[in-house]
Structure formats: C-alpha cells, structure tokens
Amino acid sequence: MLTRYVKGSEEVRERRGWAKFAVALSLLVTSFLIYLTFQKSGSYFYLSLSSSLAFWSSLGILIFPKIRIENKLSFLLPFTVYLVYHSLLYGIVLGIVEPGGLSYLTSMNRFSSGYGYAIPPSDPLYFPLWVFQSPAVWFFLGVYEADVVPYSLFLGIVIGELMGLNVSRLVTLNRERRTLRLGSELVLLPGVSLVSGASCCLALPTILLYTLVLSVPSMSYSILLILRSPAYFAFMYYGLPLISAGVLYLNLRLITRASETCRLRTDKKNLGKNI
C-alpha cells in the first residue's frame, strides 16, 4: 500500500513538472513570435511589454519553486529592501560614488521620469538582448539616473528572494542553535557568506577601482580604460548579479542543511526525554 502511494505521488509530481515545462515553453514561444511580428504593428510599447511579460514569466515558472517561509518578517524585510535597491536605486548609488558624484547632491530635489521601448532589429539573434532591455522605465533624481529594465527587475526579484530566504533560515538556525546550546560559529560562516553574496551587487568593484584611481594617479589612465570598456560593463551588469545569485543559493543550501541537522538533534533529544 505504501509503495503504491509513493509511486502515485511520484507520477503526480512528474505530470506537474511536465505541465509546468509546457506552460513555460508556450510562453517563451509566444514572446519570440511577438518579437518576429513587432515590425508589423504600431502598438510598439504594448507589444514589447507583452513579449517581456511572457518571456520572464516562462523563466519564473521554471526557476521559482514552492518555498516554505518560516519567518515572514525576516523574509519580507530583506527581500523588499534589496528589490528596491537593485531595481530602482542602483544607478543612483553608482552615480553618487563616482568621482565628483557627491558634488551634485544639492540637485536631488529635481525629479523626472518616463518610459520607453526598443524597436528590435530584424535579425532574430538579437531577441535575448531586446527582451532583456525593453520596455524600460527611467527616472532622474537631480543628475542621477536610474533605469528599470526587465533583466534588472527579474534579477532583483531572484536575488531579493534568495536574500530573504537566507535571512529567514539563518534566524531559524540561530534559534535552534540556542536551544541546543551550540556555539555562535554555527551561524557565523553562513552570515559572512550572506554578506559577501549581497555585496557582489553593491558596485564594490567600481568603488575600489575609483578609489585606486584617486590614490594612485599613475594608474588612472589604465583603470579608466577598464571602467569604460564594454567587457567591464557586461561583467558589472550581467555577471555580478548572477554571481550574487549563485553565492546566495549555495549559502542557502548550507544553512538549510545545518538547520535540518539541528532539528534532528533536537528531535532525538526530546525523544530521549520522553522515553
């Protein structure tokens, strides 16, 4: 009977997995078809928005699993803060930390905003680049500019969720550590990894390079060439968020395993008392 139940559960999970994949694939195909027909319509913004929603929804269906949130407040707070920072404030912070950026703080009382889209080239190979960047919302706070595009918003949600889960599980692990009277080093390593994973997207490489320019003038020309290069932009814009997501995911697995181990020890301890 138990074998039949387990087999049935596996079949249900497999069917759900295939259904999820079919929905994601259909959304991806829809997004690409919109791209191919983009030139034949005048409703460019709405076509771009529809294509982007279909594309990123397909990735979201495949990436985001069902999660169990143990401490909702400790999840929602870091998730919200990081999402707002990554999606809205990153460009402004980067503008402030640039050399001379602080001198324009007095202009922050002026605000303007808008939205737009990109008309894609006829070559289908440009589809990923187009759907990553269009449509977009931009705003200026004084002279500081921030752009919200689908890629940055999606990565903000991914990293924000990983941040929230890490903090939530770390709070739970710390509570279990105290129950078992274990040392604080159990949460120290995951805490350091959490901070390092979050700092990947805080423009630290740029800040360090700017600091080096100001400290060692003889290296300024070479460093400025690096800062202006397309490779460095691609690394900062595309690479760092993915590195952050990878570090936070691995750290989440570490915290989850440590928490499960503590729970097993607690259950054995309670079982021994009952006997």
Side-chain angles (χ1 to χ4, degrees), residues 119-195:
I119 297 178
S122 57
D123 191 343
L125 293 177
Y126 287 98
F127 168 69
L129 181 62
W130 177 73
V131 83
F132 273 38
Q133 303 296 324
S134 182
V137 176
W138 55 263
F139 63 89
F140 281 90
L141 195 58
V143 300
Y144 307 112
E145 180 183 3
D147 301 305
V148 182
V149 299
Y151 175 77
S152 63
L153 182 60
F154 186 82
L155 262 294
I157 294 173
V158 171
I159 299 174
E161 184 171 290
L162 287 170
M163 284 280 294
L165 287 173
N166 269 273
V167 173
S168 176
R169 301 277 172 87
L170 196 60
V171 169
T172 301
L173 178 60
N174 189 51
R175 184 172 62 245
E176 293 168 345
R177 174 193 67 82
R178 290 179 177 178
T179 301
L180 293 171
R181 297 180 180 179
L182 299 175
S184 59
E185 61 273 6
L186 184 63
V187 297
L188 181 61
L189 178 59
V192 171
S193 298
L194 173 60
V195 173

Side-chain angles (χ1 to χ4, degrees), residues 58-176:
S58 69
L59 289 188
I61 290 173
L62 296 175
I63 291 176
F64 295 116
K66 290 184 178 180
I67 54 176
R68 178 173 55 89
I69 302 174
E70 299 173 347
N71 303 284
K72 290 186 178 180
L73 180 61
S74 58
F75 170 82
L76 289 175
L77 184 60
F79 170 78
T80 304
V81 170
Y82 192 85
L83 178 60
V84 171
Y85 169 79
H86 185 90
S87 303
L88 299 176
L89 302 180
Y90 180 79
I92 294 176
V93 172
L94 192 60
I96 291 175
V97 301
E98 290 179 352
L102 290 174
S103 61
Y104 297 102
L105 286 176
T106 55
S107 68
M108 293 185 71
N109 58 339
R110 299 194 303 270
F111 177 81
S112 61
S113 62
Y115 64 90
Y117 58 88
I119 297 178
S122 57
D123 191 343
L125 293 177
Y126 287 98
F127 168 69
L129 181 62
W130 177 73
V131 83
F132 273 38
Q133 303 296 324
S134 182
V137 176
W138 55 263
F139 63 89
F140 281 90
L141 195 58
V143 300
Y144 307 112
E145 180 183 3
D147 301 305
V148 182
V149 299
Y151 175 77
S152 63
L153 182 60
F154 186 82
L155 262 294
I157 294 173
V158 171
I159 299 174
E161 184 171 290
L162 287 170
M163 284 280 294
L165 287 173
N166 269 273
V167 173
S168 176
R169 301 277 172 87
L170 196 60
V171 169
T172 301
L173 178 60
N174 189 51
R175 184 172 62 245
E176 293 168 345

